[in-house]
Amino acid sequence: GYKRNAWPMRQIAGAMAGLKLPAGEGSAEELRLALMLGIAGLMPEDWRRSDQRRSKYLGQLWSLWWRTREAARDHLLPPEIWQFAGVRPVNRPERRLALAAQWLSADRLVSEIGEWCESELGAKQSAAALQRILAQRTPSFWEDHCTFSARALDRSVPLIGKSRLTELAVNTILPWLHARATAGRNRVLAERILGAYLEWPKAEDNSVLRLARQRLLGTRSARVLKTAGQQQGLLQIVRDFCACTDSLCSDCPFPDYVKRLVTPG
């Protein structure tokens, strides 16, 4: 469900980058979340009819939003822009924004990620350690809620799961750390980060990977791919070649490209 709301999420990120948080207006985390939800148009207006816990929480957010909305008026999004069909409840944008507010308000988040990448950990331990850094940092309404209107969940659900952690690690965090180490001429660290990338546990399977395995590897079995790096490599082939031809693979240059790679001379 993430890709369906990528554009409004980018608009919120751009708006937040240009806004200055007012001093003395509640905690930085609550203020950031109120601003993001207000810009997104995702705060319900009938909050006074909610149960006591939800009503109190929404009242706090509305209080912060009313005091700061003037500064954000040029960035407001229409609520209709969000697409919820097919989005799992735990992946709702409200929960994503709640986690983003926590990250933005964590003073040592970047330094903790830097310290993590310099540690001597195996792939599984590295993933667990990174998840602890990125996990929910403070008690939150969203640990047992998916929306403002739905009832509380029977158990707490983390704002970031293992699958989303893997996608963040292999698509963003590890490439960024590798680029930083390379720019700093720290060859040893760059090689260690590359090793972590290549050994990172694989993410959840999806329809694109299944079709690519069938067409390129002759099997739909997920067992043929052992790591997230292998999954990413197959997805890159899909983007570079499969997405540029038709469903019959007419005139696809990929076979000739592979031949040049494996043919001596």
Side-chain angles (χ1 to χ4, degrees), residues 24-80:
E25 295 287 351
S27 73
E29 180 184 325
E30 284 189 335
L31 180 55
R32 286 188 171 97
L33 180 55
L35 276 168
M36 288 191 286
L37 289 172
I39 291 170
L42 292 176
M43 282 203 294
E45 297 190 8
D46 58 346
W47 55 273
R48 292 182 180 84
R49 301 179 183 178
S50 304
D51 62 63
Q52 185 175 3
R53 181 187 174 199
R54 185 182 290 113
S55 177
K56 180 179 179 181
Y57 179 63
L58 268 169
Q60 292 171 341
L61 292 177
W62 268 107
S63 177
L64 293 169
W65 171 237
W66 279 114
R67 298 177 201 170
T68 55
R69 65 184 303 177
E70 184 64 22
R73 63 178 179 177
D74 294 334
H75 305 285
L76 302 184
L77 299 175
E80 297 78 17

Side-chain angles (χ1 to χ4, degrees), residues 42-43 56 86 96 120 134 147 153 155 219 227 237 252:
L42 292 176
M43 282 203 294
K56 180 179 179 181
R96 302 283 71 79
E120 298 283 352
L134 297 179
T147 69
L153 302 171
R155 60 183 177 84
T219 178
T227 67
I237 292 173
C252 178

Side-chain angles (χ1 to χ4, degrees), residues 3-150:
K3 62 183 179 181
R4 299 177 185 178
N5 293 310
W7 188 86
M9 284 291 191
R10 283 197 294 269
Q11 304 312 302
I12 294 172
M16 293 298 294
L19 291 175
K20 184 177 180 180
L21 298 182
E25 295 287 351
S27 73
E29 180 184 325
E30 284 189 335
L31 180 55
R32 286 188 171 97
L33 180 55
L35 276 168
M36 288 191 286
L37 289 172
I39 291 170
L42 292 176
M43 282 203 294
E45 297 190 8
D46 58 346
W47 55 273
R48 292 182 180 84
R49 301 179 183 178
S50 304
D51 62 63
Q52 185 175 3
R53 181 187 174 199
R54 185 182 290 113
S55 177
K56 180 179 179 181
Y57 179 63
L58 268 169
Q60 292 171 341
L61 292 177
W62 268 107
S63 177
L64 293 169
W65 171 237
W66 279 114
R67 298 177 201 170
T68 55
R69 65 184 303 177
E70 184 64 22
R73 63 178 179 177
D74 294 334
H75 305 285
L76 302 184
L77 299 175
E80 297 78 17
I81 202 170
W82 297 97
Q83 298 185 41
F84 298 112
V87 177
R88 295 176 59 203
V90 294
N91 291 341
R92 291 270 302 198
E94 296 97 326
R95 285 173 55 85
R96 302 283 71 79
L97 293 175
L99 183 59
Q102 290 196 9
W103 287 349
L104 290 169
S105 305
D107 294 335
R108 294 198 68 251
L109 180 64
V110 174
S111 59
E112 286 181 21
I113 293 175
E115 293 166 5
W116 164 80
C117 84
E118 296 178 4
S119 62
E120 298 283 352
L121 297 173
K124 291 185 178 179
Q125 294 90 338
S126 291
L130 181 61
Q131 186 166 25
R132 285 193 293 272
I133 294 172
L134 297 179
Q136 181 174 306
R137 291 173 164 252
T138 57
S140 170
F141 172 85
W142 298 104
E143 61 187 308
D144 59 356
H145 285 82
C146 294
T147 69
F148 284 114
S149 58

Side-chain angles (χ1 to χ4, degrees), residues 211 215 242 244-250:
L211 181 60
R215 289 190 171 186
C242 303
C244 301
T245 186
D246 57 32
S247 59
L248 298 178
C249 305
S250 304

